[in-house]
Amino acid sequence: MCGIVGYIGGREAAPLLLHGLKRLEYRGYDSAGIAVLNGKLSVLKQKGSVALLEKLVEEGKNTTADSTVGIGHTRWATHGDPSDRNAHPHLNASGDIALIHNGIIENHAALRTELTKHGYVFKSDTDSEVLVHLIDHLWKNIPFINFECAVRHSLSLVEGTYGLCVISQREPDNLIAARKGSPLVIGVGEQEYFIASDAAPLIEYTRKVVYLADGEMAVVRRDGFRVMTVDNVEHEAVVTELDFELEEIEKGGYEHFMLKEIFEQQEVMRDVMRGRIKLDENRVHLGGIQDYSDKLRNADRILILACGTSWHAGLIGEYLIEEFARIPVEVDYASEFRYRNPIVGQNDVVIVISQSGETADTLAAMRIARERGACVMGICNVVGSTIAREAHFGMYTHAGPEIGVASTKAFTAQVIALVMLALELSRERTLSNAEMTLYLRELLAVPQKAEEIFRLNDEIVSIAERFKDARHFLYLGRGYNFPVALEGALKLKEISYIHAEGYPAAEMKHGPIALIDENMPVIVIATHDSTYKKMLSNIEEVRARGGKVIAIANEGDDEINKLAHHVITIPETLGALSPLLTVLPLQLLAYHIATLRGCNVDRPRNLAKSVTVE
């Protein structure tokens, strides 16, 4: 969602803030702005890109020069349209307090009404502006109160979520940050400190970071910082080391981050498995679940909660765990689970999946499950994220930073994590030693097979050129590849803005077949598995109605070549592992269709990388 950067130290703040905002562009935004202190408070903001803001700052650089304290923001509109007036930072009436805010203030209307009675005039439509006026009001009207106390007291009065930074020329040597439901990281330097909504803007300056927890607030000065709760209980700041390199958040010669991340997947697959697959012991070793393996094996039920692409990975996880471990599994949208009155028992294990570890709905669902006595396992990518801290146990996917908004390598990393979990849970229960060996060897072979698929890139470009102007796509799959059909359709609509639907192929006759004509491309995942013959029948049915068939099939499949209009052939693997390969050409097809249509694939419209508001 929105991006936050902040700085206090000895360097000029404005260039650092602008560079940090560029690092956060992948999160999705519609306006950008900075506020800096150099004796007085100066704010520059506008609708549009960080590049436009940079020009604005260059034109007014006499107002930002020599500033060593500042905050910056990229806004993703919630309350109020994308416009200059709604861009952050927001100022109080006298222009000596500036605030940036991620999240949603749910009681903003009541607070706005009350502040209006006290003479405050609002210049934006945002819920965030309420906060800066509330801080100003309390600071002026409560005797002996200082900046820190005004912010703390304001936060005790708001309902909702926030990640925020505030500065004031009344106390120019303090930068205040606070977090509830929207992530914030403090970068620890030498006599300088950085604030950001994720670690991407920090890695160039420091590897030492502190992740603020929900309900925590930090008062940051050049000579140090303090962390406390909003109720003013001092907390010890735990400093951790970032575990990725600057090169990982650079494009590395690729035109887009998304393409880079697609082609990184064979290495990501190896990284997820590294140290975890023990061929000499014929098992998977998952250190993060060791203390809870009996709890998992003896669970009455496993419930998987996730959103978006992670939900599709979770569906594959359901098939895997039920087949290999014979434990009942249910998969639910976290966004639906949290608003029901779900039945969760103490003998249930809840697995939450999130790339960022900060997805708002998934976090809320996880907390509900914990409150009801369930044991919670987290699967996420970001070390130190909220899910990683609050789950009872879990595992990291080690996919590295994912900058492209449309998730690619995170999906395959999550699926491999779930494969390994299912295999470990099946040990000494369902799979024989010979079967376990077969699966482990085939899993280790998947990255090499992925590389073979990436050699088909030019062929996939040709198919993309043929179908880039289609208005609708239908994706069909069965069994393990039904979730892949959903994921393929999601990728296409996310970045190309073409309407696409994923369907279980057996359900085609229950509605979608009515849509098929000569203008409807139908993508069919028809690999050699137990449903192969059924998929051939589906292809015949599509052809009979004039539909154009694009098939994902195994190498050497002559039958498919006779039926489909276009065939993308991939290496064969075990059915349960096939999603790791079948999804790759679908990612490339979506990418190339989008680029041929002139779409910004790294920052698709209206989407955000980390969905930290409801």
Side-chain angles (χ1 to χ4, degrees), residues 301-319:
R301 174 186 64 157
I302 291 175
L303 182 60
I304 299 176
L305 304 177
C307 299
T309 285
S310 296
W311 186 81
H312 297 155
L315 275 183
I316 296 171
E318 176 184 16
Y319 297 175

Side-chain angles (χ1 to χ4, degrees), residues 46-93:
Q46 68 174 61
K47 177 184 175 182
S49 68
V50 175
L52 292 175
L53 174 65
E54 195 169 28
K55 290 180 182 177
L56 191 65
V57 171
E58 180 63 25
E59 291 166 2
K61 63 183 177 183
N62 59 316
T63 65
T64 63
D66 302 322
S67 60
T68 56
V69 181
I71 54 179
H73 191 266
T74 50
R75 177 177 185 256
W76 188 83
T78 55
H79 295 69
D81 63 349
S83 62
D84 293 355
R85 64 194 294 269
N86 288 329
H88 295 221
H90 292 293
L91 292 170
N92 64 327

Side-chain angles (χ1 to χ4, degrees), residues 31-49:
S31 59
I34 63 169
V36 294
L37 276 167
N38 56 354
K40 66 173 185 175
L41 192 57
S42 300
V43 173
L44 293 167
K45 61 178 184 174
Q46 68 174 61
K47 177 184 175 182
S49 68

Side-chain angles (χ1 to χ4, degrees), residues 99 267 292 297 305 318 344 358 370 373 438 451-452 471 522 586 603 612:
L99 173 142
E267 285 308 315
Y292 292 87
R297 286 189 171 90
L305 304 177
E318 176 184 16
V344 182
E358 302 289 353
R370 283 195 59 145
L438 176 64
E451 291 183 36
E452 294 177 35
R471 296 179 62 190
V522 180
L586 301 186
R603 290 193 284 119
T612 56

